[in-house]
Amino acid sequence: MKKYPKVFIVILNYNGKDVIKKCLTSLFKIDYPNLEVVFVDNNSIDGSLELAKSNFSKANFIRNEENLGYASGNNIGIRFSLERMAEYVLVLNNDTEVEKDFLTKLIEVMEEDQKIGIASPVIMDANTKQIWFSGGRIDWLRMKTLHLQGARTEAYFESDFITGCSMLVRAEVFRKAGLFDEDFFLYWEDADFSLRSKKAGFKNIVVSASWIYHLEKSEHQKKSKIYWRVVSGRIFFQKNTPL
């Protein structure tokens, strides 16, 4: 690319001491030359914020005084980024590791088509080395979202929604569709945001050549995960379906 648009990477952290060092280490090794990292901490009590500050001083740090959840916590980092003239904002989970060229490959595709609003890499399960996300489908009849997990041969392809684990968002999408809906504390806010982006005229895509790895730390809190999936799912379908 002749031009490297300004990218801000927002990492939302809550008690991620066991994963955050690997995540940030991989981020600061990527080959994209025009980026900043915004580390938003949701009032962690495990020392993860202090660990990040002591090892990755180049990042921007924001500490919230309580656990605001996914949507509100990320929105703080997104607003910070947009105020500093971000052209793209990458929302990335703290329990991920990234390939060195994953961001460059995402930007290359998005710069070719201004109608692409949100892009995702192919996301691998770090434990099984199998595909965890290669597109998503909303099953309106059964009221659920499905992660597609097959390999695709196209350079990129469209998706009903992009998972909040890793979504690269064009700044214009936030201006036209808004930020994450803060009615969602955890889960479903990514599907809702993806849907609003599509309604605003943008495409959601997955880029086959861009890869990252996901530890899926949330699997360690099964009860909480099930609770918020049900609560947030109800909010999503009440908001987005006529019946």
Side-chain angles (χ1 to χ4, degrees):
M1 288 180 294
K2 294 180 179 179
K3 174 178 174 285
Y4 292 93
K6 184 70 172 184
V7 179
F8 279 72
I9 301 176
V10 176
I11 302 287
L12 182 66
N13 178 68
Y14 178 65
N15 292 338
K17 190 174 183 180
D18 55 339
V19 293
I20 196 60
K21 192 168 184 178
K22 283 186 176 180
C23 176
L24 291 175
T25 297
S26 70
L27 272 185
F28 280 103
K29 289 181 178 179
I30 65 177
D31 62 8
Y32 193 81
N34 190 18
L35 66 85
E36 292 190 43
V37 174
V38 183
F39 188 94
V40 181
D41 188 79
N42 259 347
N43 197 28
S44 296
I45 57 173
D46 68 343
S48 51
L49 173 61
E50 292 75 17
L51 175 68
K53 280 185 171 181
S54 63
N55 287 277
F56 304 96
S57 59
K58 290 183 179 179
N60 301 282
F61 290 94
I62 301 171
R63 182 182 183 276
N64 298 325
E65 296 192 358
E66 60 180 303
N67 181 6
L68 299 176
Y70 180 95
S72 295
N74 271 305
N75 281 349
I76 287 172
I78 293 166
R79 291 188 189 98
F80 178 93
S81 304
L82 295 176
E83 287 168 1
R84 285 154 184 79
M85 306 306 292
E87 294 174 79
Y88 292 91
V89 178
L90 174 71
V91 177
L92 186 69
N93 272 16
N94 67 347
D95 56 353
T96 58
E97 290 184 72
V98 303
E99 292 282 353
K100 183 178 180 180
D101 59 355
F102 93 104
L103 182 58
T104 299
K105 289 179 175 179
L106 292 176
I107 292 290
E108 283 175 348
V109 173
M110 293 189 77
E111 283 292 282
E112 290 175 0
D113 185 349
Q114 298 299 307
K115 283 297 183 182
I116 298 172
I118 310 175
S120 170
V122 174
I123 304 175
M124 307 294 292
D125 185 308
N127 297 310
T128 66
K129 304 299 188 269
Q130 301 296 312
I131 293 175
W132 181 81
F133 180 87
S134 60
R137 184 166 66 85
I138 300 173
D139 187 334
W140 295 97
L141 186 62
R142 292 190 292 169
M143 297 175 63
K144 63 192 296 186
T145 55
L146 302 171
H147 280 203
L148 306 180
Q149 298 174 322
R152 301 277 294 264
T153 57
E154 307 98 313
Y156 67 89
F157 46 92
E158 293 193 46
S159 176
D160 283 355
F161 72 94
I162 300 300
T163 173
C165 175
S166 176
M167 50 166 56
L168 179 63
V169 185
R170 192 182 300 277
E172 187 182 356
V173 174
F174 294 118
R175 289 191 283 269
K176 288 189 174 181
L179 277 61
F180 290 118
D181 185 340
E182 296 185 6
D183 284 346
F184 298 94
F185 182 81
L186 191 62
Y187 300 120
W188 287 94
E189 66 291 295
D190 50 3
D192 177 76
F193 180 67
S194 298
L195 194 63
R196 285 189 284 122
S197 176
K198 288 181 75 172
K199 288 178 179 177
F202 295 99
K203 295 186 284 190
N204 303 321
I205 68 157
V206 178
V207 178
S208 298
S210 177
W211 286 29
I212 70 167
Y213 303 88
H214 186 212
L215 181 62
E216 182 62 296
K217 185 172 180 284
S218 65
E219 287 298 317
H220 302 307
Q221 296 97 29
K222 280 282 190 182
K223 275 189 177 181
S224 175
K225 181 174 182 176
I226 292 169
Y227 172 80
W228 286 114
R229 280 200 181 281
V230 173
V231 170
S232 297
R234 180 174 177 177
I235 294 170
F236 175 85
F237 285 101
Q238 283 183 329
K239 176 182 177 181
N240 291 298
T241 58
L243 299 179

